[in-house]
Amino acid sequence: MDLQKHAQPQDSAPRVSELRASDADRDRVADILREALAEGRLTADEHAERVEGVLHAKTVGELEVFIRDLPAAHQRPAAPAYTPVPPRPATGAIPAEADANVVAVFSSAVRRGRWRAGRRLHAYSVFGSVEIDLSEAIFEYQQVVIKAVSVFGDVQIRVPENVSLRGTGGGVLGNFEVDTLDSVEPDAPVVYVDGWAVLGNVEARPKRGRRVADILDRVQDKVDRKLRKHLDR
């Protein structure tokens, strides 16, 4: 008879804590630890020790150990809904003239650090290399257009990881590659990269660990410190 066979319990699915951790799981825990450090809940040494453990954790349960004493670990926000990226700016909505030009002809040109991105940026590389790093830039406008042209050259574009990124272009015996990003924040900046790579290379991708919100928070902290210093006089 098959009665005994049917009576045996089937193998139950593994618990969530037993599942193998993904890179997204590690990033989530690392973000919670970073916030805890900023709030003063963890010391720098504790933060470093826990982050190292996160990098070596293999299961979701092992990850949870590092944040179970932090309030953020017990908050269960709803899964973020991706908002549609605003449509491309209509013709004439953004001036055809660039706010800034970055040009490298048999040379290199770099734009990075704390700078104002503006609405339009042109990058030209002819037998040279151009690097445009927006990871610490000030976004005064939600939509930023970058025109990138590479002829026997290289154009590298880096953006914060929580913005939206779009690309339209191509390569002629070259490489035109733009990593598509969709931010979960409705007001996040949108960077459009247009251009061509002729026997050259154009790449645009996020810079891991750089977020627009982080930069704005640091700026606000500096303003608060200056204000407190002024009031204490």
Side-chain angles (χ1 to χ4, degrees), residues 150-190:
S150 173
V151 180
F152 288 96
D154 181 52
V155 177
Q156 297 285 334
I157 300 169
R158 297 293 179 265
V159 301
E161 62 180 5
N162 63 333
V163 305
S164 292
L165 179 62
R166 291 290 187 273
T168 302
V172 179
L173 297 179
N175 176 61
F176 182 91
E177 182 179 355
V178 177
D179 288 354
T180 299
L181 294 178
D182 286 308
S183 178
V184 299
E185 302 170 20
D187 297 326
V190 184

Side-chain angles (χ1 to χ4, degrees), residues 64-121:
E64 297 298 331
V65 170
F66 298 105
I67 58 173
R68 62 187 177 189
D69 59 344
L70 300 175
H74 305 285
Q75 299 173 359
R76 302 297 180 186
Y82 285 90
T83 56
V85 172
R88 292 186 62 86
T91 303
I94 293 181
E97 183 178 353
D99 296 298
N101 291 287
V102 184
V103 182
V105 180
F106 288 97
S107 62
S108 63
V110 179
R111 179 65 65 90
R112 68 160 71 101
R114 194 77 179 151
W115 60 290
R116 298 182 184 276
R119 287 183 292 183
R120 178 180 287 275
L121 179 66

Side-chain angles (χ1 to χ4, degrees), residues 123 146-150 167-171 176 178 192-198 202:
I146 300 177
K147 179 181 178 181
V149 177
S150 173
T168 302
F176 182 91
V178 177
Y192 299 96
V193 178
D194 301 332
W196 287 90
V198 181
V202 174

Side-chain angles (χ1 to χ4, degrees), residues 123-224:
Y124 301 99
S125 174
V126 181
F127 288 96
S129 64
V130 171
E131 179 186 351
I132 298 174
D133 190 341
L134 293 165
S135 63
E136 294 186 16
I138 300 172
F139 287 87
E140 298 179 307
Y141 304 94
Q142 186 182 17
Q143 296 178 312
V144 178
V145 175
I146 300 177
K147 179 181 178 181
V149 177
S150 173
V151 180
F152 288 96
D154 181 52
V155 177
Q156 297 285 334
I157 300 169
R158 297 293 179 265
V159 301
E161 62 180 5
N162 63 333
V163 305
S164 292
L165 179 62
R166 291 290 187 273
T168 302
V172 179
L173 297 179
N175 176 61
F176 182 91
E177 182 179 355
V178 177
D179 288 354
T180 299
L181 294 178
D182 286 308
S183 178
V184 299
E185 302 170 20
D187 297 326
V190 184
V191 178
Y192 299 96
V193 178
D194 301 332
W196 287 90
V198 181
L199 291 168
N201 180 63
V202 174
E203 291 185 7
R205 61 187 57 182
K207 191 169 184 178
R208 190 175 182 82
R210 293 292 188 178
R211 300 172 61 85
V212 175
D214 296 342
I215 299 166
L216 296 178
D217 288 344
R218 289 199 296 270
V219 173
Q220 186 62 46
D221 290 341
K222 292 180 181 178
V223 173
D224 292 342

